Coordinates of all heavy atoms in Angstrom, one line a residue:
A1036 N 146.9 124.3 161.6 CA 148.1 124.2 160.8 C 149.3 124.7 161.6 O 150.4 124.2 161.4 CB 147.9 124.9 159.5
L1037 N 149.1 125.7 162.4 CA 150.2 126.3 163.1 C 150.7 125.4 164.2 O 151.9 125.4 164.6 CB 149.8 127.6 163.7 CG 149.6 128.8 162.7 CD1 149.2 130.0 163.4 CD2 150.9 129.0 161.9
F1038 N 149.9 124.6 164.8 CA 150.3 123.6 165.8 C 151.4 122.7 165.3 O 152.4 122.4 166.0 CB 149.1 122.8 166.3 CG 148.0 123.6 167.1 CD1 146.7 123.2 167.0 CD2 148.3 124.8 167.7 CE1 145.8 123.9 167.7 CE2 147.4 125.5 168.3 CZ 146.1 125.0 168.3
G1039 N 151.2 122.2 164.1 CA 152.2 121.3 163.5 C 153.6 122.1 163.3 O 154.6 121.5 163.5
M1040 N 153.5 123.3 162.9 CA 154.7 124.1 162.6 C 155.4 124.3 164.0 O 156.7 124.3 164.1 CB 154.4 125.4 161.9 CG 153.9 125.2 160.5 SD 153.4 126.7 159.7 CE 154.8 127.7 159.9
V1041 N 154.7 124.7 165.0 CA 155.3 125.0 166.3 C 155.9 123.7 166.9 O 157.0 123.7 167.4 CB 154.2 125.5 167.3 CG1 154.8 125.6 168.7 CG2 153.8 126.9 166.8
A1042 N 155.2 122.6 166.7 CA 155.8 121.3 167.2 C 157.1 121.0 166.4 O 158.0 120.5 167.0 CB 154.8 120.2 167.0
T1043 N 157.1 121.3 165.1 CA 158.4 121.0 164.4 C 159.5 121.9 164.8 O 160.6 121.5 165.0 CB 158.1 121.3 162.9 OG1 157.0 120.5 162.4 CG2 159.3 121.0 162.0
E1044 N 159.2 123.1 165.2 CA 160.2 124.0 165.7 C 160.8 123.6 167.1 O 162.0 123.8 167.4 CB 159.7 125.5 165.9 CG 159.3 126.1 164.6 CD 160.6 126.5 163.8 OE1 161.6 126.9 164.4 OE2 160.5 126.5 162.6
L1045 N 160.0 123.0 167.9 CA 160.4 122.6 169.2 C 160.9 121.1 169.3 O 161.4 120.7 170.3 CB 159.2 122.7 170.2 CG 158.6 124.1 170.4 CD1 157.4 124.1 171.2 CD2 159.7 125.0 170.9
A1046 N 160.8 120.4 168.2 CA 161.3 119.0 168.2 C 162.8 118.9 168.2 O 163.5 119.7 167.6 CB 160.7 118.3 167.0
P1047 N 163.3 117.8 168.8 CA 164.7 117.5 168.7 C 165.1 117.1 167.2 O 164.2 116.7 166.5 CB 164.9 116.4 169.6 CG 163.6 115.9 170.0 CD 162.6 116.9 169.6
P1048 N 166.3 117.4 166.9 CA 166.7 117.1 165.5 C 166.5 115.6 165.2 O 166.7 114.7 166.0 CB 168.2 117.4 165.5 CG 168.4 118.3 166.7 CD 167.4 118.0 167.7
G1049 N 166.0 115.3 164.0 CA 165.7 114.0 163.6 C 164.3 113.5 163.9 O 163.8 112.5 163.3
L1050 N 163.5 114.2 164.7 CA 162.2 113.8 165.0 C 161.1 114.8 164.5 O 159.9 114.6 164.9 CB 162.0 113.6 166.6 CG 162.8 112.5 167.2 CD1 162.6 112.5 168.7 CD2 162.4 111.2 166.6
E1051 N 161.5 115.7 163.7 CA 160.6 116.8 163.3 C 159.4 116.2 162.6 O 158.2 116.5 162.8 CB 161.2 117.8 162.4 CG 162.3 118.6 163.1 CD 163.7 118.1 162.9 OE1 163.8 116.9 162.4 OE2 164.7 118.8 163.2
G1052 N 159.7 115.3 161.6 CA 158.6 114.8 160.8 C 157.6 113.9 161.6 O 156.4 114.0 161.4
R1053 N 158.2 113.1 162.4 CA 157.3 112.3 163.2 C 156.4 113.1 164.2 O 155.2 112.8 164.3 CB 158.1 111.3 164.0 CG 157.3 110.3 164.8 CD 158.2 109.2 165.4 NE 158.8 108.4 164.4 CZ 159.9 107.7 164.6 NH1 160.5 107.6 165.8 NH2 160.4 107.0 163.6
L1054 N 157.0 114.1 164.8 CA 156.3 114.9 165.7 C 155.2 115.8 165.0 O 154.1 116.0 165.5 CB 157.2 115.9 166.5 CG 156.6 116.7 167.6 CD1 156.0 115.7 168.6 CD2 157.6 117.6 168.3
Y1055 N 155.6 116.2 163.8 CA 154.6 117.0 163.0 C 153.4 116.1 162.6 O 152.2 116.5 162.7 CB 155.2 117.5 161.7 CG 154.3 118.2 160.8 CD1 153.9 119.5 161.1 CD2 153.7 117.6 159.7 CE1 153.1 120.2 160.3 CE2 152.8 118.3 158.9 CZ 152.5 119.6 159.2 OH 151.6 120.2 158.3
A1056 N 153.7 114.8 162.3 CA 152.6 113.9 161.9 C 151.7 113.6 163.1 O 150.5 113.6 163.0 CB 153.2 112.6 161.4
V1057 N 152.3 113.4 164.3 CA 151.5 113.1 165.5 C 150.6 114.3 165.8 O 149.5 114.2 166.2 CB 152.4 112.7 166.6 CG1 151.6 112.6 167.9 CG2 153.0 111.3 166.3
T1058 N 151.3 115.5 165.7 CA 150.5 116.7 166.1 C 149.4 116.9 165.1 O 148.2 117.3 165.6 CB 151.5 117.9 166.1 OG1 152.6 117.7 166.9 CG2 150.8 119.2 166.5
E1059 N 149.6 116.8 163.8 CA 148.5 117.0 162.9 C 147.4 116.0 163.0 O 146.2 116.2 162.9 CB 149.1 117.0 161.4 CG 149.8 118.2 161.1 CD 148.9 119.4 161.1 OE1 147.7 119.4 160.5 OE2 149.3 120.5 161.7
L1060 N 147.8 114.7 163.3 CA 146.8 113.7 163.5 C 145.9 114.0 164.7 O 144.7 113.9 164.7 CB 147.5 112.3 163.7 CG 146.5 111.1 164.0 CD1 145.7 110.8 162.8 CD2 147.3 109.9 164.4

Side-chain angles (χ1 to χ4, degrees):
L1037 289 176
F1038 295 152
M1040 291 175 55
V1041 170
T1043 303
E1044 293 288 327
L1045 299 174
L1050 292 177
E1051 295 96 348
R1053 186 174 294 161
L1054 189 60
Y1055 179 79
V1057 169
T1058 305
E1059 283 298 312
L1060 176 68

